[in-house]
Amino acid sequence: MNLTSPSQVKDWCIANGFHPNKVLGQNFLVDRNSLDAIVAAAGDVAGQRVLEIGPGLGVLTEALLAAGAEVLAVEKDTRLAGRLSEALGNPSGLLVVAADALRVDWDELLQPGFCACVSNLPYSVGTRILLDLAFRAGAPERFVLLVQSEVAERFAAPEGSPHRGQAGVWLQLDYDISAICQVPPTCFWPRPEVDSTVVRLDRHPCGLAAEERKRYFELTKLSFMHRRKQLGALLRKAAGALACSDAELSERLKKCGLDPKIRPEELSVSQWESLATVYAAATT
Ligand code: SAM
């Protein structure tokens, strides 16, 4: 079957009594140009291991294998997982794991090392899957993901943007994020109601030590729970490792050159890093 042909994909589904599942985000990519853009954004994958989450009918899996990658594909739908290898001609470079990417033992699966994760992620759980994977010791250096445009915007949102939130501030600590191309609903079958974007994340070195990283995640998690509040007011109520007296808090903000009235979405990644460093120094 030509997996970029909407009519062939639709006919296969009808012939096999397969109804795409909305809850699992089963909107299959049926557009050759977008497929080529995703594979090109992954870089040279020949002879390298690539992770794919949600291979579905295998359009991306097939293209990655054709580019010479060895693919580990994790698919929750047991019917799709069960047919994938045979449907693609039992390629030696493909291993399919029938599992929920939200529950799988990633530390074990990531053990062999992957140069990239290349996926058309299910919309409802895409961000959760990425955040669960991106900060693990064995995480791939690069992610090329097809996600809802709104989600891509959040990942890349700079300070001051209304789209700035916890996911972006966390991902930007470790990754350079770039939008590769837009993918309209017509490129999928069935068509989703939203626009999609191919986004690439390339890992860069992080200058924070382990304890500072811990504070970075704690500070930003707390702050983005109440993004409209002022930073000083937010941190005054902090508990656990972030708790400190009002005088200590003023001193810490002053050291970072931060106005207590600034709001969480206005801080740059390097300002959050400074704050995390000051907090870590005060608590160790
Ligand atoms: N890669 C295929 C493509 O581009 O046409 C399918 C992409 S479709 C947007 C998302 C895929 O993720 C579906 O095959 C769906 O069954 C699978 N999926 C949904 N939730 C999942 C989960 N929690 N873990 C693993 N796979 C999941």
Side-chain angles (χ1 to χ4, degrees):
M1 161 169 56
N2 174 2
L3 291 164
T4 53
S5 157
S7 59
Q8 288 192 31
V9 167
K10 196 173 169 182
D11 288 350
W12 180 88
C13 289
I14 292 166
N16 290 277
F18 183 85
H19 304 284
N21 183 327
K22 256 195 171 182
V23 178
L24 290 179
Q26 289 176 344
N27 302 99
F28 302 114
L29 182 67
V30 287
D31 178 68
R32 169 57 59 185
N33 290 338
S34 311
L35 180 64
D36 290 346
I38 295 171
V39 176
D44 184 7
V45 292
Q48 311 234 48
R49 272 185 291 271
V50 170
L51 173 67
E52 185 189 1
I53 298 161
L57 294 172
V59 67
L60 193 46
T61 324
E62 189 177 49
L64 289 166
L65 289 165
E70 282 181 32
V71 181
L72 173 73
V74 180
E75 171 59 61
K76 183 174 177 181
D77 187 321
T78 48
R79 196 168 163 201
L80 293 181
R83 69 169 283 284
L84 185 60
S85 198
E86 201 182 329
L88 298 182
N90 294 312
S92 58
L94 173 64
L95 179 65
V96 182
V97 176
D100 182 341
L102 289 170
R103 290 166 190 268
V104 87
D105 181 351
W106 281 120
D107 289 331
E108 193 191 323
L109 279 188
L110 292 173
Q111 208 117 61
F114 292 86
C115 75
C117 171
V118 183
S119 306
N120 173 9
L121 286 178
Y123 287 153
S124 58
V125 289
T127 302
R128 273 171 71 195
I129 293 173
L130 174 60
L131 291 178
D132 182 21
L133 259 177
F135 305 106
R136 288 176 185 269
E141 295 267 311
R142 172 173 291 175
F143 289 80
V144 179
L145 306 172
L146 182 48
V147 294
Q148 237 172 296
S149 296
E150 203 182 285
V151 169
E153 231 166 347
R154 271 189 243 138
F155 290 171
E159 61 270 25
S161 156
H163 304 293
R164 183 84 156 168
Q166 182 186 289
V169 167
W170 283 16
L171 291 167
Q172 289 168 30
L173 177 65
D174 283 342
Y175 296 89
D176 295 322
I177 303 175
S178 43
I180 304 295
C181 62
Q182 304 287 317
V183 184
T186 48
C187 294
F188 299 88
W189 187 84
R191 290 182 188 181
E193 278 153 23
V194 291
D195 285 325
S196 303
T197 295
V198 178
V199 68
R200 190 171 75 197
L201 292 82
D202 288 294
R203 195 151 69 238
H204 56 237
C206 169
L208 299 184
E211 201 62 24
E212 295 165 346
R213 281 179 69 86
K214 223 168 142 186
R215 295 289 101 83
Y216 183 99
F217 289 114
E218 288 166 355
L219 282 162
T220 48
K221 184 174 180 183
L222 171 73
S223 301
F224 282 103
M225 276 181 198
H226 314 276
R227 47 183 290 136
R228 300 277 164 232
K229 283 200 180 166
Q230 297 175 350
L231 188 67
L234 265 165
L235 294 181
R236 204 167 296 133
K237 298 215 169 96
L242 302 182
C244 60
S245 69
D246 286 1
E248 284 168 330
L249 175 59
S250 301
E251 188 57 31
R252 291 178 194 184
L253 292 174
K254 201 169 152 197
K255 263 192 190 160
C256 302
L258 289 170
D259 180 342
K261 289 190 176 138
I262 196 168
R263 292 177 206 279
E265 67 202 43
E266 294 170 328
L267 273 77
S268 66
V269 167
S270 61
Q271 285 175 314
W272 283 117
E273 285 182 300
S274 308
L275 199 57
T277 306
V278 168
Y279 266 80
T283 50
T284 47

